[in-house]
Amino acid sequence: MIDLHLHTTASDGRLAPAALVERVAAAGVTVMAVTDHDTVGGLGEAIRAARQHGIRFVPGIEITAVEDARDVHVLGYFFDRRNAGLATFLDAQRADRRRRITEIAARLAALGIRIDADALIAERAGRSIGRPVIAAALVRDGHVASIAEAFDKYLATGAAAFVPRSGAPAREVVRVIRDAGGVASIAHPGLHRDPELLNRIAAGPDDVDAIEVFHTEHDEDTTARLLAFAEARGLLVTGGSDFHGDDAGRTVGLGRIALPDAWFARLADRFAS
Ligand code: AMP
Ligand code: FE
Ligand code: FE
Ligand code: ZN
């Protein structure tokens, strides 16, 4: 079973890389990619653990691009994880994440809610930070009852303490991944609010190499529609569970959502070194 979309504690996953590898091995995964948000920090530990479990490991990343002020997740695979251009780009992405956390805390302060952004940022030194960290602090301090409520009330797009992200468009993110020797895939297009977005950013192989067709939150119709889209546009296909941990949502896909072997072979034939 091939799962090319997995998160660790290097970003917003619950399991450290070695523990994630244990978990996915137990679920029957034989080829895996770790795709943390805007960091390759989990890859080294995951590679060593995968080797011990006899799992084929593909280096991965999930980079947040911005299109029309909305987040678009772009997956990368088979790149050189030590590529300097990629490292510089990811450093800037994580710096912007810290800026955003600080600004969200300022908005919360204006609403009378005090969150120590500097402490949260310090706790996550070397890893990428995101809104879930603020959500957890809001739950911990009793301001809301759940992560979901934290997003609904304060953190989601348009909510009371929402701060937009600034960042590169998908085209630029695709270029960074390709320049590092990798293949770029638009993550979970079935979750895009704007159905026209995919036409703009994935019209064909000039724009991006692949789209993610198989994903925990794609129903049967969506999967079929995206597969037809990829085939019509001459795009490659990726897929994975997007597992973040057993208590983190999107849990049902692990061991169930897989990239079919034939699609993986096409990717690997072109991009694996
Ligand atoms: P950020 O990277 O700071 O934009 O945060 C995005 C992350 O927040 C996503 O990867 C999800 O894990 C999480 N997230 C986004 N919206 C929600 C929501 N409504 N409820 C819970 N978690 C969410
Ligand atoms: Fe995530
Ligand atoms: Fe994503
Ligand atoms: Zn993901």
Side-chain angles (χ1 to χ4, degrees):
M1 173 160 345
I2 299 165
D3 191 332
L4 299 186
H5 195 154
L6 296 160
H7 292 270
T8 77
T9 47
S11 65
D12 59 353
R14 299 287 204 280
L15 298 174
L20 175 77
V21 172
E22 292 269 339
R23 181 74 180 81
V24 306
V29 171
T30 52
V31 179
M32 70 180 287
V34 163
T35 53
D36 277 310
H37 300 284
D38 294 325
T39 179
V40 294
L43 296 185
E45 180 182 325
I47 287 168
R48 288 187 293 278
R51 200 176 288 137
Q52 286 170 4
H53 284 272
I55 288 178
R56 177 167 179 186
F57 190 86
V58 177
I61 184 95
E62 183 171 23
I63 297 177
T64 304
V66 180
E67 295 281 339
D68 299 331
R70 288 216 180 101
D71 292 2
V72 175
H73 290 177
V74 182
L75 295 158
Y77 299 109
F78 293 116
F79 51 82
D80 169 13
R81 71 190 166 99
R82 297 196 175 86
N83 178 271
L86 177 66
T88 302
F89 183 85
L90 295 177
D91 280 344
Q93 290 280 104
R94 291 192 301 272
D96 189 65
R97 285 175 170 276
R98 292 190 293 272
R99 171 204 60 87
R100 191 176 181 215
I101 293 299
T102 304
E103 287 186 24
I104 290 172
R107 297 218 178 179
L108 287 168
L111 296 168
I113 296 175
R114 289 186 36 212
I115 291 287
D116 188 346
D118 291 342
L120 294 178
I121 288 168
E123 275 167 29
R124 300 212 42 93
R127 298 178 288 166
S128 74
I129 194 164
R131 285 174 290 169
V133 171
I134 297 248
L138 290 171
V139 173
R140 184 196 59 205
D141 295 349
H143 299 292
V144 290
S146 67
I147 299 283
E149 190 187 340
F151 273 90
D152 285 352
K153 270 196 175 153
Y154 299 114
L155 303 175
T157 306
F162 177 72
V163 173
R165 187 194 302 275
S166 61
R171 180 178 305 109
E172 198 176 321
V173 171
V174 169
R175 192 182 329 120
V176 169
I177 293 167
R178 284 175 170 171
D179 285 351
V183 47
S185 179
I186 303 299
H188 42 64
L191 303 185
H192 289 170
R193 296 265 170 76
D194 174 6
E196 283 305 305
L197 180 64
L198 202 59
N199 284 321
R200 265 199 299 115
I201 64 177
D206 286 346
D207 295 327
V208 73
D209 305 296
I211 61 171
E212 187 176 50
V213 169
F214 302 92
H215 184 272
T216 301
E217 290 186 23
H218 289 168
D219 61 22
E220 237 174 83
D221 287 353
T222 302
T223 304
R225 173 176 64 80
L226 291 171
L227 194 55
F229 182 95
E231 284 176 330
R233 308 294 177 111
L235 297 169
L236 293 166
V237 166
T238 69
S241 63
D242 207 358
F243 183 71
H244 283 70
D246 282 307
D247 53 352
R250 287 181 190 168
T251 55
V252 296
L254 183 63
R256 263 197 339 110
I257 299 296
L259 177 65
D261 292 10
W263 281 112
F264 179 72
R266 289 195 204 178
L267 269 186
D269 284 351
R270 269 185 49 197
F271 294 95
S273 46

